[in-house]
Amino acid sequence: MMGAPGAGKGTQTHLLSEKYGLPQISTGDLLREMSKAETPLARSLKETIASGALVRDEVLADLIISRTSGEDCRNGYLLDGFPRTLIQANLLGELARRQGNEIRVFSIVVSMDCLLKRLSGRRICTLCGEIYNVFFRPPKREGFCDLDGAPLLQRSDDFEDSVKRRLAAYQESTLPLIDYYRQGGRLKEIDGQRSVAEVFAKLSESIDDI
Ligand code: AMP
């Protein structure tokens, strides 16, 4: 599943994972988890993620090889946020050949202006994880969760500087991959500026057509 940060890849991949019974592999979530350890690698991951830059391809290679060798990946898997560079795309091609898998790519397309608002406006409840957006879905009381009254937090990589760097990294490193997959005839582009349910319906339709 491809798309800029904020395009809704995570949300859609989660729904697809439930519908098709395939594991969701989010490299962002896996890296955030890895960054919690007390090791030099974890500390450097934490810094890289907070800055909005991309993590080194070698780290991603180890991560993806080990995660996709799990028993739950035998019938395929949904990648969310990987590949993001040409090196990663080549690695995935090689891995798919070895695993006997075919690659299908879905790209969720959203305008830059909307992405900026979705990311920099995002706030998360520190207690229940409910997600708000100050532009599109503000809480009733500013800064606090409607459900449990706990304070809302902004993810450090959702600060404006970091958001701009994440979007720049997407344009420089990841956008060329869209062409790479388009030329290979494996790409399907989906309009991501519709409701979650509409985007999900379009994605499901495309998957059922395969
Ligand atoms: P995400 O939650 O997918 O937006 O990912 C959060 C952060 O994790 C990104 O801004 C990168 O720093 C890092 N990251 C996630 N996936 C990758 C990847 N495939 N290649 C390099 N860095 C990644």
Side-chain angles (χ1 to χ4, degrees):
M1 189 71 59
M2 299 191 65
K9 294 187 299 289
T11 306
Q12 294 296 337
T13 313
H14 178 70
L15 293 170
L16 293 173
S17 161
E18 288 186 336
K19 175 165 181 179
Y20 295 97
L22 294 171
Q24 169 180 11
I25 302 181
S26 157
T27 47
D29 284 350
L30 292 172
L31 291 167
R32 268 188 291 278
E33 202 47 48
M34 278 170 71
S35 76
K36 289 179 186 160
E38 286 297 327
T39 61
L41 172 65
R43 274 189 288 279
S44 102
L45 282 178
K46 203 170 181 167
E47 271 174 32
T48 308
I49 294 171
S51 79
L54 291 181
V55 171
R56 282 183 298 119
D57 288 324
E58 301 85 76
V59 176
L60 268 298
D62 288 347
L63 181 67
I64 220 73
I65 290 169
S66 99
R67 178 61 187 87
T68 62
S69 65
E71 180 63 18
D72 61 339
C73 291
R74 267 204 324 178
N75 296 323
Y77 43 85
L78 299 166
L79 290 169
D80 157 16
F82 183 93
R84 264 166 147 110
T85 66
L86 208 52
I87 292 178
Q88 294 178 13
N90 287 330
L91 168 82
L92 181 63
E94 181 53 39
L95 203 58
R97 261 190 300 283
R98 262 192 276 150
Q99 294 171 335
N101 286 328
E102 229 182 272
I103 300 173
R104 297 291 169 160
V105 185
F106 299 92
S107 171
I108 306 183
V109 184
V110 174
S111 75
M112 265 307 146
D113 182 51
C114 181
L115 291 170
L116 263 174
K117 284 188 174 154
R118 281 192 187 179
L119 294 167
S120 61
R122 179 160 61 184
R123 301 290 184 274
I124 302 169
C125 173
T126 45
L127 195 63
C128 69
E130 184 74 4
I131 297 174
Y132 296 85
N133 186 290
V134 298
F135 302 107
F136 305 120
R137 191 192 169 220
K140 291 196 186 80
R141 186 169 149 232
E142 196 186 319
F144 296 92
C145 181
D146 292 349
L147 305 179
D148 51 32
L152 303 181
L153 192 94
Q154 187 173 21
R155 237 168 72 175
S156 60
D157 59 346
D158 284 343
F159 294 152
E160 200 171 325
D161 270 3
S162 181
V163 163
K164 289 198 170 137
R165 209 166 298 134
R166 286 164 71 197
L167 292 174
Y170 175 76
Q171 284 194 308
E172 278 162 33
S173 308
T174 311
L175 213 50
L177 289 189
I178 304 278
D179 268 341
Y180 169 86
Y181 285 122
R182 187 182 288 122
Q183 281 162 18
R186 279 182 289 205
L187 177 76
K188 179 88 190 166
E189 284 172 291
I190 309 278
D191 175 4
Q193 266 170 239
R194 295 166 183 271
S195 71
V196 169
E198 283 172 301
V199 176
F200 181 57
K202 282 275 173 220
L203 276 167
S204 302
E205 228 174 76
S206 306
I207 291 176
D208 294 339
D209 271 354
I210 293 175

